Amino acid sequence: MNSLPGIMKRNNGFTFMVNNRPFILLAAETHNSAGTSREYMVSVWKKLEELNCNTVLVPIPWESIEPREDYFDFALVEELINGARKHNKKLVFLWFGTWKNGHSTYVPSWIKTDLTRFPRTENEYGIRSRTLSMFGSGILETELKSFRKLIQYIKKTDEGQQTVIALQIENEVGILDAARDFSAAAAEAFEKNVPVELLEHFRKTENDFFIQMIKRSEHTSDQSWQGMFGEVAGEVFMCWHYARYLNELAAVAKESYALPVFTNVWLNETDDEKPGFYPCGGPIPEMIDVWKRGAPCLDFIAPDIYTFEFDKFAGLYTRDDNPLFIAETRRDKWAAANLYTAIGKYNALCYSPFGAESVGENKSFITQKMHTDSADKNVSSELVKEYLSQSYKLLGNMMPIISEYYGTDKMTGFSQDESRMSKQIKLGKYQISIEFYHRIDDENEFIPAAGIIMERDENELIFAGYGYRAYLNTVNPGKQLDFLSLEKGFFDEEANWVNYMDLNGDEQHIQMEEKVTILKAVFYEF
């Protein structure tokens, strides 16, 4: 039997392994409610085929598997596993348990209505929220029991075929509209000293902010959350307790069926955003180190990148202790472009635009009303679908080759900035000037250009992508470059290079087509 899906350290990075082979999740995430309807999923499976996805991320709401306490119904889970097998897709299940986007909307009704056993968070004015509190509550023990049942069912049903390859625990946890939980039980916990294990972790971290906190602790006897962390005490406090809670769920998953487990994060996109505007307690960039110590059983933390600063946030979540896994991202004209940056530059394990069935459609999932709000930029089109589909096919066929370069300096990826028409790239001995064909703005429909460049050996480069020219020079003093050969072609489903056309003379330039293209160039120096 093949080993279970897992994450392996390779070169100086990470590789996702499925059936004992490297695997990149070229994926899409369904809308939140899609999986609850067998009839609706017919259209979703069709769209996934059209997009050339190899994986789909689908929520499993707690309310759907335990409508009454201790009564479990896994018909939804079985249906989704069977559907994925039928359509030759891998599955990542998203456990919508106690928390989803800062609220508790997917818990069963018998939990929602029992405010004594399952209290809510409160703001500083004592007003209860829709969010379940983890303090003074029976929610953790209750969820652990239900989550264990789900994992055991997945193992029993799927261990032989391994359709399910990873599990997300909760979704964008945190508390909205308050700086922390101010309920009585939470307030009591907030007055206690910061755990020694967290302080010891901060003494070893390279996070400048927390280093300053530790230095301050050496000169004060107040080891409380407020005494240690001042104005950010509430957020550090919530991060620690959410992390410890999710670690319990992750440990249960590992004990029952050791698939990769992770959680995702709603990002704070600007410095002006205060905790509570985004879910306070989630693993935002400034708080990753709290989470890494609090939830060691999580294999990684996945950023949901909807901001236009894709490169910045992809870099922040690509760490020696955290591979990049993008569970949610835009489905607009940046969807295909950012894919090349994620895979080529940051060696992403997964790339997954949100709203799989809405890729290519410029209308609301809920109302089916056409988008008319000019401020809403995350809208799709047929052109977006075409570029993403072609890119998934190209990269899917190249997967064995691309995987070889994960964690090395022999590959890079890039996409076009909205305000720039060129880019400079250094790869091995090559200095590469990239020029883009079209300016990108809201007034045109052009898809931002993007590419991946691989140095297969000292003299051979692979160029993939679309919408750009590349001019190369060698960094070796006194030397020039010239072509020995230039081929236009493609990689077939066995990752074999198929030469479609030899380019020479006037065509011997790195000029990618408007649509997805691959060129193989062999150079010599003189």
Side-chain angles (χ1 to χ4, degrees):
M1 178 184 291
N2 288 322
S3 300
L4 286 179
I7 298 167
M8 182 180 76
K9 274 277 193 180
R10 191 179 188 189
N11 300 319
N12 293 316
F14 299 87
T15 300
F16 203 106
M17 302 296 290
V18 175
N19 298 328
N20 298 332
R21 295 181 178 180
F23 188 76
I24 302 169
L25 285 69
L26 303 172
E29 180 178 331
T30 69
H31 284 288
N32 297 326
S33 303
T36 62
S37 169
R38 175 188 299 181
E39 292 76 16
Y40 181 81
M41 281 300 295
V42 171
S43 63
V44 177
W45 295 121
K46 182 176 183 294
K47 181 61 70 71
L48 293 168
E49 293 283 359
E50 294 171 353
L51 289 173
N52 292 311
C53 294
N54 60 25
T55 305
V56 59
L57 283 64
V58 189
I60 298 295
W62 187 353
E63 62 184 356
S64 71
I65 69 163
E66 194 179 9
R68 301 191 303 275
E69 187 167 11
D70 293 327
Y71 172 79
F72 293 93
D73 181 353
F74 295 108
L76 166 63
V77 182
E78 180 182 22
E79 183 70 29
L80 290 170
I81 291 174
N82 288 338
R85 289 174 182 168
K86 179 180 178 181
H87 294 89
N88 194 31
K89 304 287 180 254
K90 295 298 184 182
L91 270 173
V92 176
F93 278 140
L94 316 178
W95 171 242
F96 284 7
T98 297
W99 298 294
K100 198 274 181 188
N101 292 39
H103 292 301
S104 299
T105 48
Y106 284 91
V107 297
S109 58
W110 52 270
I111 290 178
K112 287 182 180 179
T113 54
D114 191 343
L115 272 68
T116 301
R117 186 178 167 196
F118 307 112
R120 307 299 174 85
T121 64
E122 297 178 15
N123 66 14
E124 58 267 48
Y125 306 108
I127 299 174
R128 287 176 175 171
S129 73
R130 301 168 62 193
T131 304
L132 288 164
S133 176
M134 63 190 125
F135 301 99
S137 173
I139 191 61
L140 176 58
E141 293 76 12
T142 305
E143 185 172 10
L144 283 171
K145 178 181 61 177
S146 304
F147 191 58
R148 181 181 286 108
K149 289 282 189 181
L150 171 63
I151 303 303
Q152 289 172 345
Y153 178 82
I154 293 171
K155 178 179 181 180
K156 176 183 175 182
T157 306
D158 191 51
E159 187 174 19
Q161 297 194 41
Q162 298 180 8
T163 307
V164 182
I165 60 174
L167 299 160
Q168 178 183 295
I169 302 176
E170 313 295 356
N171 191 90
E172 297 182 348
V173 300
I175 181 170
L176 287 167
D177 303 320
R180 64 173 175 86
D181 185 354
F182 288 87
S183 64
E188 182 180 346
F190 187 67
E191 293 303 317
K192 295 180 179 179
N193 284 350
V194 177
V196 173
E197 59 195 290
L198 182 58
L199 296 181
E200 289 298 323
H201 177 65
F202 286 155
R203 289 189 174 95
K204 301 173 185 176
T205 186
E206 296 181 0
N207 187 312
D208 290 339
F209 174 78
F210 289 116
I211 289 173
Q212 295 303 314
M213 296 295 103
I214 294 302
K215 287 181 178 178
R216 189 171 73 177
S217 73
E218 296 170 354
H219 304 286
T220 179
S221 60
D222 185 358
Q223 301 287 301
S224 69
W225 295 94
Q226 189 65 51
M228 284 296 303
F229 299 114
E231 63 181 12
V232 298
E235 186 164 19
V236 180
F237 170 77
M238 294 302 293
C239 282
W240 176 253
H241 286 283
Y242 275 120
R244 299 306 294 159
Y245 186 109
L246 265 68
N247 194 64
E248 293 288 329
L249 292 167
V252 161
K254 294 290 188 183
E255 291 166 5
S256 302
Y257 186 40
L259 295 176
V261 291
F262 66 99
T263 196
N264 61 337
V265 52
W266 174 335
L267 296 171
N268 55 331
E269 297 184 5
T270 69
D271 294 337
D272 296 331
E273 292 183 7
K274 302 298 182 184
F277 182 84
Y278 58 88
C280 177
I284 63 171
E286 296 83 352
M287 296 291 156
I288 293 178
D289 286 306
V290 182
W291 272 79
K292 284 295 178 181
R293 184 62 188 91
C297 290
L298 291 176
D299 290 285
F300 53 86
I301 293 166
D304 293 345
I305 307 180
Y306 291 96
T307 171
F308 289 106
E309 294 183 291
F310 182 90
D311 204 317
K312 169 187 172 181
F313 284 98
L316 288 171
Y317 283 86
T318 304
R319 300 168 29 135
D320 290 340
D321 61 356
N322 199 77
L324 181 63
F325 187 108
I326 300 171
E328 294 183 35
T329 193
R330 308 180 67 85
R331 61 176 177 270
D332 62 0
K333 62 185 180 182
W334 296 96
N338 290 336
L339 165 67
Y340 289 83
T341 299
I343 299 294
K345 185 175 181 179
Y346 294 109
N347 303 167
L349 305 185
C350 172
Y351 186 83
S352 176
F354 176 78
E357 60 273 40
S358 293
V359 175
E361 298 182 2
N362 185 13
K363 59 186 178 182
S364 166
F365 161 68
I366 299 297
T367 65
Q368 296 295 294
K369 179 182 176 182
M370 296 299 293
H371 282 291
T372 56
D373 182 1
S374 59
D376 183 4
K377 307 299 183 186
N378 191 24
V379 295
S380 200
S381 68
E382 278 291 333
L383 197 60
V384 171
K385 175 185 167 185
E386 178 184 351
Y387 273 77
L388 186 62
S389 173
Q390 290 179 359
S391 297
Y392 271 6
K393 182 176 181 179
L394 176 149
L395 298 178
N397 287 354
M398 292 180 67
M399 189 183 301
I401 299 165
I402 292 173
S403 299
E404 291 178 18
Y405 294 92
Y406 265 28
T408 76
D409 59 359
K410 300 295 186 181
M411 177 174 70
T412 190
F414 60 90
S415 57
Q416 182 177 3
D417 299 326
E418 188 168 14
S419 60
R420 299 173 63 185
M421 290 294 291
S422 64
K423 190 180 290 278
Q424 298 294 316
I425 293 174
K426 171 75 165 54
L427 185 65
K429 69 178 182 181
Y430 299 96
Q431 185 65 45
I432 307 172
S433 297
I434 304 294
E435 293 186 359
F436 304 113
Y437 297 155
H438 306 290
R439 189 168 299 281
I440 303 302
D441 57 45
D442 291 338
E443 304 304 318
N444 63 50
E445 291 297 314
F446 292 121
I447 302 295
I452 288 175
I453 306 174
M454 294 187 298
E455 184 184 15
R456 298 199 70 183
D457 64 36
E458 186 180 5
N459 298 311
E460 180 181 308
L461 296 181
I462 298 291
F463 296 83
Y466 57 90
Y468 68 91
R469 300 182 186 89
Y471 301 93
L472 285 77
N473 288 297
T474 176
V475 297
N476 294 326
K479 297 288 186 177
Q480 298 182 60
L481 285 179
D482 195 8
F483 290 94
L484 280 178
S485 65
L486 181 63
E487 300 175 5
K488 180 188 295 185
F490 59 91
F491 288 93
D492 64 20
E493 294 182 356
E494 302 299 322
N496 298 310
W497 173 251
V498 178
N499 181 13
Y500 171 73
M501 183 182 294
D502 291 306
L503 301 176
N504 209 327
D506 294 343
E507 290 87 27
Q508 200 171 61
H509 303 281
I510 308 300
Q511 297 183 120
M512 309 304 286
E513 295 182 11
E514 291 273 15
K515 300 295 176 68
V516 176
T517 318
I518 307 180
L519 298 178
K520 182 172 77 169
V522 179
F523 297 95
Y524 73 100
E525 291 184 332
F526 67 96

